[in-house]
Amino acid sequence: MARARPEPMHVVKQRRDAAFMALVDGIPYAQFLGITAERRGDELTGVLNYDEKLIGNPFLPALHGGVISAFLENTAIMTLAWQHFLPLVEDGHMKIEDLTLENIPGFPKTIDFTVDYLRTGLPRDAYARAWVGRAGRRYATVRVEAWQDARAKPFAQGSGHFLMPQPKREKTAS
Amino acid sequence: MVHSAKLAKQFIEAIPHAQALGLELVHIGKGQAEIAMPYKPELVGDPRNGVVHGGAVSAQMDTCCGAAVMCHAAAPTGTATIDLRIDYMRGANPGQTITAKATCYHITRNVAFVRAVATDEDVDNPVATATGAFTVEGL
């Protein structure tokens, strides 16, 4: 019997994107801030869609420092989660259809997060990218940078440590 | 003093993002500030357990630390965050108000040093702690 034809790549890609977006859109706080994400291959870009409620200083005006911090932290978590779950899908340990909020063991949890504010956050869209320094079985360390008009001029950077989602422990029979 | 405290309350609660988060100034004065954030479903990080997202606690802590700098006896006319580090001890209990208390414990002509702690109704078990450095304007 002939082997089933492999699915065209764009179909696979579309399904992966949809699964990922559903995961991101499932976080109420990300929705509240207007955070979305774009994926190019394994590179992920967080997008903070500007809204007046993100303003911290109405006189300048400038984005609220807390919004910037939350945006960086969220981008770090999304990048870490994607890099954690995608290989599981590719190795066949997990089906892409199972990559839903109900089925995943959880998101990475922040242990600590430090933000450096480099420039004023202007009242417009912002972008962020994260680099995973190391993701072990339990702990991960991530660096993030956010920019607005020029990629080479970040307005904030952050770094943090995260606790990786732990697979459910099988109880040993006693 | 009563007047300036009222002014500070109005000032902080007028910040668009503070309004969006639903922040309430509980206490301010002498380099100390206390800000409450009542529970709202929009602030949740994981809809399965209803725990508030760490980012929302960060935003609350940042506002509270800034408020502590502004009401320091040295009376800076403005401030901006240089850096802020948050340590998360545990997820906040769903449905409970999170309260942040910040202290500006040292200030120079250029830099203010602040620490803060956030708790829910289980006040003996902090949800998160923060340390930060802020700019000092107008001294």
Side-chain angles (χ1 to χ4, degrees), chain B residues 79-114:
Chain B
T79 186
T81 319
I82 299 172
D83 89 312
L84 191 72
R85 171 188 165 125
I86 314 257
D87 290 83
Y88 296 98
M89 269 95 258
R90 62 177 176 93
N93 292 322
Q96 298 186 1
T97 294
I98 302 171
T99 306
K101 286 181 190 172
T103 307
C104 175
Y105 61 92
H106 187 69
I107 197 163
T108 71
R109 262 173 301 173
N110 296 305
V111 188
F113 300 88
V114 192

PDB file of all heavy atoms in Angstrom, chain B residues 79-114:
ATOM      1  N   THR B  79      10.177  61.518  38.762  1.00  0.00           N
ATOM      2  CA  THR B  79      10.999  60.316  38.863  1.00  0.00           C
ATOM      3  C   THR B  79      10.686  59.371  37.706  1.00  0.00           C
ATOM      4  O   THR B  79       9.594  59.427  37.137  1.00  0.00           O
ATOM      5  CB  THR B  79      10.790  59.601  40.215  1.00  0.00           C
ATOM      6  OG1 THR B  79      11.712  58.525  40.315  1.00  0.00           O
ATOM      7  CG2 THR B  79       9.375  59.048  40.367  1.00  0.00           C
ATOM      8  N   ALA B  80      11.678  58.547  37.369  1.00  0.00           N
ATOM      9  CA  ALA B  80      11.468  57.508  36.351  1.00  0.00           C
ATOM     10  C   ALA B  80      12.236  56.266  36.794  1.00  0.00           C
ATOM     11  O   ALA B  80      13.250  56.383  37.474  1.00  0.00           O
ATOM     12  CB  ALA B  80      11.970  57.989  34.995  1.00  0.00           C
ATOM     13  N   THR B  81      11.740  55.114  36.428  1.00  0.00           N
ATOM     14  CA  THR B  81      12.401  53.873  36.833  1.00  0.00           C
ATOM     15  C   THR B  81      13.695  53.680  36.058  1.00  0.00           C
ATOM     16  O   THR B  81      13.702  53.779  34.831  1.00  0.00           O
ATOM     17  CB  THR B  81      11.481  52.661  36.567  1.00  0.00           C
ATOM     18  OG1 THR B  81      10.158  53.011  36.921  1.00  0.00           O
ATOM     19  CG2 THR B  81      11.921  51.446  37.357  1.00  0.00           C
ATOM     20  N   ILE B  82      14.803  53.429  36.775  1.00  0.00           N
ATOM     21  CA  ILE B  82      16.055  53.042  36.107  1.00  0.00           C
ATOM     22  C   ILE B  82      16.047  51.526  35.950  1.00  0.00           C
ATOM     23  O   ILE B  82      16.219  50.993  34.865  1.00  0.00           O
ATOM     24  CB  ILE B  82      17.298  53.487  36.913  1.00  0.00           C
ATOM     25  CG1 ILE B  82      17.334  55.015  37.066  1.00  0.00           C
ATOM     26  CG2 ILE B  82      18.578  52.983  36.230  1.00  0.00           C
ATOM     27  CD1 ILE B  82      18.412  55.509  38.015  1.00  0.00           C
ATOM     28  N   ASP B  83      15.846  50.830  37.069  1.00  0.00           N
ATOM     29  CA  ASP B  83      15.689  49.380  36.972  1.00  0.00           C
ATOM     30  C   ASP B  83      14.826  48.879  38.119  1.00  0.00           C
ATOM     31  O   ASP B  83      14.706  49.518  39.160  1.00  0.00           O
ATOM     32  CB  ASP B  83      17.045  48.666  36.913  1.00  0.00           C
ATOM     33  CG  ASP B  83      17.589  48.325  38.280  1.00  0.00           C
ATOM     34  OD1 ASP B  83      17.577  49.215  39.138  1.00  0.00           O
ATOM     35  OD2 ASP B  83      18.027  47.184  38.484  1.00  0.00           O
ATOM     36  N   LEU B  84      14.175  47.768  37.873  1.00  0.00           N
ATOM     37  CA  LEU B  84      13.288  47.176  38.875  1.00  0.00           C
ATOM     38  C   LEU B  84      13.416  45.666  38.779  1.00  0.00           C
ATOM     39  O   LEU B  84      13.311  45.106  37.694  1.00  0.00           O
ATOM     40  CB  LEU B  84      11.844  47.609  38.615  1.00  0.00           C
ATOM     41  CG  LEU B  84      10.843  47.284  39.724  1.00  0.00           C
ATOM     42  CD1 LEU B  84      11.048  48.170  40.936  1.00  0.00           C
ATOM     43  CD2 LEU B  84       9.408  47.457  39.219  1.00  0.00           C
ATOM     44  N   ARG B  85      13.690  45.037  39.924  1.00  0.00           N
ATOM     45  CA  ARG B  85      13.773  43.587  39.942  1.00  0.00           C
ATOM     46  C   ARG B  85      12.638  43.044  40.811  1.00  0.00           C
ATOM     47  O   ARG B  85      12.424  43.520  41.925  1.00  0.00           O
ATOM     48  CB  ARG B  85      15.112  43.127  40.526  1.00  0.00           C
ATOM     49  CG  ARG B  85      15.136  41.611  40.754  1.00  0.00           C
ATOM     50  CD  ARG B  85      16.382  41.157  41.500  1.00  0.00           C
ATOM     51  NE  ARG B  85      16.180  39.797  41.980  1.00  0.00           N
ATOM     52  CZ  ARG B  85      17.001  38.782  41.714  1.00  0.00           C
ATOM     53  NH1 ARG B  85      18.057  38.978  40.996  1.00  0.00           N
ATOM     54  NH2 ARG B  85      16.729  37.576  42.182  1.00  0.00           N
ATOM     55  N   ILE B  86      11.931  42.067  40.273  1.00  0.00           N
ATOM     56  CA  ILE B  86      10.835  41.452  41.021  1.00  0.00           C
ATOM     57  C   ILE B  86      11.167  39.994  41.296  1.00  0.00           C
ATOM     58  O   ILE B  86      11.629  39.283  40.394  1.00  0.00           O
ATOM     59  CB  ILE B  86       9.515  41.494  40.220  1.00  0.00           C
ATOM     60  CG1 ILE B  86       9.300  42.861  39.608  1.00  0.00           C
ATOM     61  CG2 ILE B  86       8.337  41.050  41.075  1.00  0.00           C
ATOM     62  CD1 ILE B  86       8.331  43.752  40.269  1.00  0.00           C
ATOM     63  N   ASP B  87      10.964  39.544  42.515  1.00  0.00           N
ATOM     64  CA  ASP B  87      11.080  38.130  42.857  1.00  0.00           C
ATOM     65  C   ASP B  87       9.684  37.622  43.183  1.00  0.00           C
ATOM     66  O   ASP B  87       8.989  38.219  44.005  1.00  0.00           O
ATOM     67  CB  ASP B  87      12.000  37.941  44.061  1.00  0.00           C
ATOM     68  CG  ASP B  87      13.447  38.245  43.716  1.00  0.00           C
ATOM     69  OD1 ASP B  87      13.832  39.429  43.735  1.00  0.00           O
ATOM     70  OD2 ASP B  87      14.178  37.300  43.408  1.00  0.00           O
ATOM     71  N   TYR B  88       9.302  36.547  42.537  1.00  0.00           N
ATOM     72  CA  TYR B  88       7.961  35.993  42.771  1.00  0.00           C
ATOM     73  C   TYR B  88       8.046  34.813  43.726  1.00  0.00           C
ATOM     74  O   TYR B  88       8.726  33.835  43.460  1.00  0.00           O
ATOM     75  CB  TYR B  88       7.346  35.522  41.451  1.00  0.00           C
ATOM     76  CG  TYR B  88       7.116  36.644  40.473  1.00  0.00           C
ATOM     77  CD1 TYR B  88       8.012  36.905  39.456  1.00  0.00           C
ATOM     78  CD2 TYR B  88       5.991  37.458  40.578  1.00  0.00           C
ATOM     79  CE1 TYR B  88       7.814  37.941  38.555  1.00  0.00           C
ATOM     80  CE2 TYR B  88       5.785  38.503  39.694  1.00  0.00           C
ATOM     81  CZ  TYR B  88       6.691  38.720  38.683  1.00  0.00           C
ATOM     82  OH  TYR B  88       6.491  39.744  37.794  1.00  0.00           O
ATOM     83  N   MET B  89       7.351  34.915  44.860  1.00  0.00           N
ATOM     84  CA  MET B  89       7.371  33.844  45.849  1.00  0.00           C
ATOM     85  C   MET B  89       6.312  32.783  45.559  1.00  0.00           C
ATOM     86  O   MET B  89       6.530  31.614  45.736  1.00  0.00           O
ATOM     87  CB  MET B  89       7.104  34.404  47.247  1.00  0.00           C
ATOM     88  CG  MET B  89       8.350  34.805  47.991  1.00  0.00           C
ATOM     89  SD  MET B  89       8.707  36.544  47.785  1.00  0.00           S
ATOM     90  CE  MET B  89       9.987  36.481  46.592  1.00  0.00           C
ATOM     91  N   ARG B  90       5.128  33.255  45.154  1.00  0.00           N
ATOM     92  CA  ARG B  90       4.013  32.331  44.911  1.00  0.00           C
ATOM     93  C   ARG B  90       2.942  33.049  44.092  1.00  0.00           C
ATOM     94  O   ARG B  90       2.972  34.279  43.967  1.00  0.00           O
ATOM     95  CB  ARG B  90       3.410  31.862  46.240  1.00  0.00           C
ATOM     96  CG  ARG B  90       2.817  32.995  47.059  1.00  0.00           C
ATOM     97  CD  ARG B  90       2.174  32.487  48.333  1.00  0.00           C
ATOM     98  NE  ARG B  90       1.695  33.569  49.164  1.00  0.00           N
ATOM     99  CZ  ARG B  90       0.458  34.054  49.121  1.00  0.00           C
ATOM    100  NH1 ARG B  90      -0.415  33.564  48.267  1.00  0.00           N
ATOM    101  NH2 ARG B  90       0.103  35.037  49.924  1.00  0.00           N
ATOM    102  N   GLY B  91       2.003  32.274  43.536  1.00  0.00           N
ATOM    103  CA  GLY B  91       0.879  32.864  42.828  1.00  0.00           C
ATOM    104  C   GLY B  91      -0.078  33.471  43.843  1.00  0.00           C
ATOM    105  O   GLY B  91      -0.269  32.913  44.931  1.00  0.00           O
ATOM    106  N   ALA B  92      -0.665  34.622  43.520  1.00  0.00           N
ATOM    107  CA  ALA B  92      -1.632  35.249  44.428  1.00  0.00           C
ATOM    108  C   ALA B  92      -2.917  34.427  44.421  1.00  0.00           C
ATOM    109  O   ALA B  92      -3.277  33.843  43.405  1.00  0.00           O
ATOM    110  CB  ALA B  92      -1.911  36.671  43.979  1.00  0.00           C
ATOM    111  N   ASN B  93      -3.595  34.370  45.572  1.00  0.00           N
ATOM    112  CA  ASN B  93      -4.854  33.626  45.656  1.00  0.00           C
ATOM    113  C   ASN B  93      -5.915  34.288  44.774  1.00  0.00           C
ATOM    114  O   ASN B  93      -6.130  35.492  44.892  1.00  0.00           O
ATOM    115  CB  ASN B  93      -5.356  33.572  47.104  1.00  0.00           C
ATOM    116  CG  ASN B  93      -4.448  32.723  47.973  1.00  0.00           C
ATOM    117  OD1 ASN B  93      -3.943  31.702  47.531  1.00  0.00           O
ATOM    118  ND2 ASN B  93      -4.231  33.166  49.204  1.00  0.00           N
ATOM    119  N   PRO B  94      -6.554  33.514  43.875  1.00  0.00           N
ATOM    120  CA  PRO B  94      -7.568  34.087  42.991  1.00  0.00           C
ATOM    121  C   PRO B  94      -8.687  34.752  43.789  1.00  0.00           C
ATOM    122  O   PRO B  94      -9.107  34.233  44.823  1.00  0.00           O
ATOM    123  CB  PRO B  94      -8.108  32.875  42.226  1.00  0.00           C
ATOM    124  CG  PRO B  94      -7.050  31.837  42.332  1.00  0.00           C
ATOM    125  CD  PRO B  94      -6.360  32.077  43.633  1.00  0.00           C
ATOM    126  N   GLY B  95      -9.113  35.916  43.325  1.00  0.00           N
ATOM    127  CA  GLY B  95     -10.224  36.614  43.966  1.00  0.00           C
ATOM    128  C   GLY B  95      -9.802  37.599  45.042  1.00  0.00           C
ATOM    129  O   GLY B  95     -10.612  38.391  45.497  1.00  0.00           O
ATOM    130  N   GLN B  96      -8.543  37.537  45.456  1.00  0.00           N
ATOM    131  CA  GLN B  96      -8.109  38.425  46.545  1.00  0.00           C
ATOM    132  C   GLN B  96      -7.397  39.671  46.028  1.00  0.00           C
ATOM    133  O   GLN B  96      -6.709  39.632  45.017  1.00  0.00           O
ATOM    134  CB  GLN B  96      -7.176  37.659  47.500  1.00  0.00           C
ATOM    135  CG  GLN B  96      -7.862  36.485  48.166  1.00  0.00           C
ATOM    136  CD  GLN B  96      -6.994  35.807  49.221  1.00  0.00           C
ATOM    137  OE1 GLN B  96      -5.860  36.212  49.481  1.00  0.00           O
ATOM    138  NE2 GLN B  96      -7.548  34.777  49.827  1.00  0.00           N
ATOM    139  N   THR B  97      -7.571  40.770  46.777  1.00  0.00           N
ATOM    140  CA  THR B  97      -6.885  42.019  46.471  1.00  0.00           C
ATOM    141  C   THR B  97      -5.393  41.853  46.773  1.00  0.00           C
ATOM    142  O   THR B  97      -5.026  41.272  47.785  1.00  0.00           O
ATOM    143  CB  THR B  97      -7.465  43.161  47.336  1.00  0.00           C
ATOM    144  OG1 THR B  97      -8.810  43.374  46.934  1.00  0.00           O
ATOM    145  CG2 THR B  97      -6.685  44.457  47.177  1.00  0.00           C
ATOM    146  N   ILE B  98      -4.550  42.366  45.870  1.00  0.00           N
ATOM    147  CA  ILE B  98      -3.105  42.349  46.115  1.00  0.00           C
ATOM    148  C   ILE B  98      -2.695  43.749  46.563  1.00  0.00           C
ATOM    149  O   ILE B  98      -3.057  44.747  45.925  1.00  0.00           O
ATOM    150  CB  ILE B  98      -2.328  41.932  44.852  1.00  0.00           C
ATOM    151  CG1 ILE B  98      -2.798  40.546  44.390  1.00  0.00           C
ATOM    152  CG2 ILE B  98      -0.821  41.938  45.099  1.00  0.00           C
ATOM    153  CD1 ILE B  98      -2.257  40.116  43.052  1.00  0.00           C
ATOM    154  N   THR B  99      -1.965  43.812  47.685  1.00  0.00           N
ATOM    155  CA  THR B  99      -1.535  45.101  48.228  1.00  0.00           C
ATOM    156  C   THR B  99      -0.016  45.205  48.166  1.00  0.00           C
ATOM    157  O   THR B  99       0.685  44.303  48.629  1.00  0.00           O
ATOM    158  CB  THR B  99      -2.004  45.253  49.689  1.00  0.00           C
ATOM    159  OG1 THR B  99      -3.421  45.040  49.720  1.00  0.00           O
ATOM    160  CG2 THR B  99      -1.700  46.628  50.229  1.00  0.00           C
ATOM    161  N   ALA B 100       0.474  46.301  47.579  1.00  0.00           N
ATOM    162  CA  ALA B 100       1.916  46.542  47.502  1.00  0.00           C
ATOM    163  C   ALA B 100       2.291  47.653  48.466  1.00  0.00           C
ATOM    164  O   ALA B 100       1.586  48.662  48.558  1.00  0.00           O
ATOM    165  CB  ALA B 100       2.303  46.927  46.079  1.00  0.00           C
ATOM    166  N   LYS B 101       3.390  47.433  49.213  1.00  0.00           N
ATOM    167  CA  LYS B 101       3.904  48.463  50.112  1.00  0.00           C
ATOM    168  C   LYS B 101       5.342  48.755  49.708  1.00  0.00           C
ATOM    169  O   LYS B 101       6.164  47.833  49.667  1.00  0.00           O
ATOM    170  CB  LYS B 101       3.886  47.974  51.565  1.00  0.00           C
ATOM    171  CG  LYS B 101       2.501  47.935  52.168  1.00  0.00           C
ATOM    172  CD  LYS B 101       2.557  47.476  53.612  1.00  0.00           C
ATOM    173  CE  LYS B 101       1.146  47.206  54.118  1.00  0.00           C
ATOM    174  NZ  LYS B 101       1.128  46.580  55.427  1.00  0.00           N
ATOM    175  N   ALA B 102       5.636  50.030  49.409  1.00  0.00           N
ATOM    176  CA  ALA B 102       6.983  50.401  48.969  1.00  0.00           C
ATOM    177  C   ALA B 102       7.595  51.419  49.926  1.00  0.00           C
ATOM    178  O   ALA B 102       6.891  52.267  50.486  1.00  0.00           O
ATOM    179  CB  ALA B 102       6.921  50.983  47.564  1.00  0.00           C
ATOM    180  N   THR B 103       8.915  51.309  50.108  1.00  0.00           N
ATOM    181  CA  THR B 103       9.658  52.257  50.937  1.00  0.00           C
ATOM    182  C   THR B 103      10.844  52.788  50.144  1.00  0.00           C
ATOM    183  O   THR B 103      11.637  52.002  49.619  1.00  0.00           O
ATOM    184  CB  THR B 103      10.217  51.560  52.204  1.00  0.00           C
ATOM    185  OG1 THR B 103       9.135  50.896  52.850  1.00  0.00           O
ATOM    186  CG2 THR B 103      10.849  52.556  53.161  1.00  0.00           C
ATOM    187  N   CYS B 104      10.946  54.112  50.081  1.00  0.00           N
ATOM    188  CA  CYS B 104      12.128  54.732  49.494  1.00  0.00           C
ATOM    189  C   CYS B 104      13.106  54.900  50.655  1.00  0.00           C
ATOM    190  O   CYS B 104      12.977  55.829  51.443  1.00  0.00           O
ATOM    191  CB  CYS B 104      11.767  56.076  48.864  1.00  0.00           C
ATOM    192  SG  CYS B 104      13.198  56.952  48.240  1.00  0.00           S
ATOM    193  N   TYR B 105      14.072  53.966  50.782  1.00  0.00           N
ATOM    194  CA  TYR B 105      14.913  53.934  51.978  1.00  0.00           C
ATOM    195  C   TYR B 105      16.183  54.752  51.872  1.00  0.00           C
ATOM    196  O   TYR B 105      16.875  54.966  52.862  1.00  0.00           O
ATOM    197  CB  TYR B 105      15.229  52.482  52.373  1.00  0.00           C
ATOM    198  CG  TYR B 105      15.985  51.698  51.337  1.00  0.00           C
ATOM    199  CD1 TYR B 105      17.375  51.642  51.352  1.00  0.00           C
ATOM    200  CD2 TYR B 105      15.306  51.004  50.339  1.00  0.00           C
ATOM    201  CE1 TYR B 105      18.069  50.914  50.404  1.00  0.00           C
ATOM    202  CE2 TYR B 105      15.992  50.282  49.388  1.00  0.00           C
ATOM    203  CZ  TYR B 105      17.366  50.237  49.419  1.00  0.00           C
ATOM    204  OH  TYR B 105      18.059  49.524  48.471  1.00  0.00           O
ATOM    205  N   HIS B 106      16.507  55.208  50.669  1.00  0.00           N
ATOM    206  CA  HIS B 106      17.661  56.101  50.526  1.00  0.00           C
ATOM    207  C   HIS B 106      17.501  56.934  49.260  1.00  0.00           C
ATOM    208  O   HIS B 106      17.016  56.452  48.247  1.00  0.00           O
ATOM    209  CB  HIS B 106      18.967  55.290  50.451  1.00  0.00           C
ATOM    210  CG  HIS B 106      20.186  56.154  50.469  1.00  0.00           C
ATOM    211  ND1 HIS B 106      20.570  56.853  51.589  1.00  0.00           N
ATOM    212  CD2 HIS B 106      21.081  56.460  49.507  1.00  0.00           C
ATOM    213  CE1 HIS B 106      21.674  57.545  51.305  1.00  0.00           C
ATOM    214  NE2 HIS B 106      21.996  57.319  50.051  1.00  0.00           N
ATOM    215  N   ILE B 107      17.929  58.203  49.368  1.00  0.00           N
ATOM    216  CA  ILE B 107      17.825  59.061  48.186  1.00  0.00           C
ATOM    217  C   ILE B 107      19.077  59.931  48.090  1.00  0.00           C
ATOM    218  O   ILE B 107      19.589  60.404  49.104  1.00  0.00           O
ATOM    219  CB  ILE B 107      16.515  59.903  48.246  1.00  0.00           C
ATOM    220  CG1 ILE B 107      16.168  60.488  46.875  1.00  0.00           C
ATOM    221  CG2 ILE B 107      16.566  60.979  49.313  1.00  0.00           C
ATOM    222  CD1 ILE B 107      14.719  60.954  46.765  1.00  0.00           C
ATOM    223  N   THR B 108      19.618  60.087  46.889  1.00  0.00           N
ATOM    224  CA  THR B 108      20.741  61.000  46.659  1.00  0.00           C
ATOM    225  C   THR B 108      20.230  62.075  45.691  1.00  0.00           C
ATOM    226  O   THR B 108      19.053  62.088  45.357  1.00  0.00           O
ATOM    227  CB  THR B 108      21.953  60.271  46.028  1.00  0.00           C
ATOM    228  OG1 THR B 108      21.632  59.946  44.676  1.00  0.00           O
ATOM    229  CG2 THR B 108      22.301  59.000  46.798  1.00  0.00           C
ATOM    230  N   ARG B 109      21.127  62.940  45.207  1.00  0.00           N
ATOM    231  CA  ARG B 109      20.687  63.984  44.278  1.00  0.00           C
ATOM    232  C   ARG B 109      20.186  63.366  42.965  1.00  0.00           C
ATOM    233  O   ARG B 109      19.381  63.939  42.266  1.00  0.00           O
ATOM    234  CB  ARG B 109      21.848  64.944  43.971  1.00  0.00           C
ATOM    235  CG  ARG B 109      21.806  66.201  44.810  1.00  0.00           C
ATOM    236  CD  ARG B 109      23.058  67.006  44.589  1.00  0.00           C
ATOM    237  NE  ARG B 109      24.254  66.213  44.954  1.00  0.00           N
ATOM    238  CZ  ARG B 109      25.499  66.610  44.745  1.00  0.00           C
ATOM    239  NH1 ARG B 109      25.737  67.764  44.151  1.00  0.00           N
ATOM    240  NH2 ARG B 109      26.517  65.864  45.119  1.00  0.00           N
ATOM    241  N   ASN B 110      20.730  62.189  42.640  1.00  0.00           N
ATOM    242  CA  ASN B 110      20.419  61.609  41.333  1.00  0.00           C
ATOM    243  C   ASN B 110      19.634  60.305  41.365  1.00  0.00           C
ATOM    244  O   ASN B 110      18.973  59.966  40.397  1.00  0.00           O
ATOM    245  CB  ASN B 110      21.714  61.372  40.553  1.00  0.00           C
ATOM    246  CG  ASN B 110      22.430  62.678  40.256  1.00  0.00           C
ATOM    247  OD1 ASN B 110      21.834  63.574  39.672  1.00  0.00           O
ATOM    248  ND2 ASN B 110      23.675  62.783  40.678  1.00  0.00           N
ATOM    249  N   VAL B 111      19.776  59.555  42.450  1.00  0.00           N
ATOM    250  CA  VAL B 111      19.163  58.223  42.478  1.00  0.00           C
ATOM    251  C   VAL B 111      18.376  57.979  43.769  1.00  0.00           C
ATOM    252  O   VAL B 111      18.826  58.337  44.855  1.00  0.00           O
ATOM    253  CB  VAL B 111      20.260  57.123  42.349  1.00  0.00           C
ATOM    254  CG1 VAL B 111      19.612  55.752  42.178  1.00  0.00           C
ATOM    255  CG2 VAL B 111      21.196  57.403  41.182  1.00  0.00           C
ATOM    256  N   ALA B 112      17.213  57.357  43.612  1.00  0.00           N
ATOM    257  CA  ALA B 112      16.419  56.937  44.771  1.00  0.00           C
ATOM    258  C   ALA B 112      16.379  55.409  44.805  1.00  0.00           C
ATOM    259  O   ALA B 112      16.206  54.765  43.769  1.00  0.00           O
ATOM    260  CB  ALA B 112      15.011  57.500  44.670  1.00  0.00           C
ATOM    261  N   PHE B 113      16.558  54.838  46.002  1.00  0.00           N
ATOM    262  CA  PHE B 113      16.566  53.378  46.160  1.00  0.00           C
ATOM    263  C   PHE B 113      15.293  52.949  46.880  1.00  0.00           C
ATOM    264  O   PHE B 113      14.945  53.500  47.922  1.00  0.00           O
ATOM    265  CB  PHE B 113      17.808  52.950  46.938  1.00  0.00           C
ATOM    266  CG  PHE B 113      19.092  53.338  46.257  1.00  0.00           C
ATOM    267  CD1 PHE B 113      19.678  54.583  46.483  1.00  0.00           C
ATOM    268  CD2 PHE B 113      19.690  52.473  45.342  1.00  0.00           C
ATOM    269  CE1 PHE B 113      20.849  54.948  45.832  1.00  0.00           C
ATOM    270  CE2 PHE B 113      20.857  52.839  44.683  1.00  0.00           C
ATOM    271  CZ  PHE B 113      21.443  54.089  44.929  1.00  0.00           C
ATOM    272  N   VAL B 114      14.630  51.968  46.301  1.00  0.00           N
ATOM    273  CA  VAL B 114      13.310  51.585  46.800  1.00  0.00           C
ATOM    274  C   VAL B 114      13.205  50.070  46.945  1.00  0.00           C
ATOM    275  O   VAL B 114      13.791  49.324  46.162  1.00  0.00           O
ATOM    276  CB  VAL B 114      12.202  52.052  45.815  1.00  0.00           C
ATOM    277  CG1 VAL B 114      10.827  51.932  46.464  1.00  0.00           C
ATOM    278  CG2 VAL B 114      12.432  53.473  45.368  1.00  0.00           C
TER     279      VAL B 114
END
